[in-house]
Every structure is written in structure tokens, then in C-alpha cells.
Amino acid sequence: MSIEQLRAFIAKSKDDQSIQDKLKAAKTPEDVVGIAKEHGHEFTADKVTELSEDQLKGVAGGLAWGAGGSRVPIN
């Protein structure tokens, strides 16, 4: 349940269109955690909001989850 697991999942998702599609449909950080778990990565929802915008850019269609679980666009 670490930030390293989240980073590994993000790296994996960059090369996997099916993961990207699932992430685009995710509504909450908890949804992201569930998708990651399906692919062998474990971390908590709070780790999703700890990443910087640069780290999240390009994942989930350019959307990130901000504080409180709200989705925000990344420019």
C-alpha cells in the first residue's frame, strides 16, 4: 500500500489502453484503487491524491482526483 505501487500502476497504465479506459470511467480515488487491485497493485485512496499533477498527467484522460476525491482537469 505504497506510493511506489501507485507509481508502478500508473506506468503500467500508460501502455495499456484497457486500463486507461477503466480509469477514464472511474469516479473516485476508491475506483482507481479497485482497478489497480485487479491488475496486481495495492495502495490506498489517499495515495492517489498525494501525487503531483505532473505525475498524473496523461493518466485517466488528463483528469486527476483532488482533495476530497473531486475530479479536476489537468492542463
Side-chain angles (χ1 to χ4, degrees):
M1 290 195 226
S2 67
I3 198 78
E4 290 81 18
Q5 282 286 309
L6 176 54
R7 288 183 178 139
F9 175 64
I10 288 172
K12 184 179 199 174
S13 71
K14 288 181 180 180
D15 296 325
D16 189 321
Q17 187 62 47
S18 68
I19 294 174
Q20 291 176 26
D21 292 342
K22 289 178 183 179
L23 290 173
K24 288 176 186 174
K27 305 248 186 269
T28 66
E30 290 79 11
D31 292 343
V32 174
V33 169
I35 295 164
K37 191 170 186 175
E38 291 174 11
H39 295 277
H41 298 274
E42 291 199 31
F43 49 86
T44 57
D46 65 318
K47 297 297 180 201
V48 175
T49 59
E50 286 181 22
L51 292 182
S52 71
E53 289 182 10
D54 286 340
Q55 291 169 310
L56 289 167
K57 196 173 284 188
V59 178
L63 293 174
W65 288 267
S70 61
R71 285 184 76 161
V72 294
I74 299 174
N75 297 324

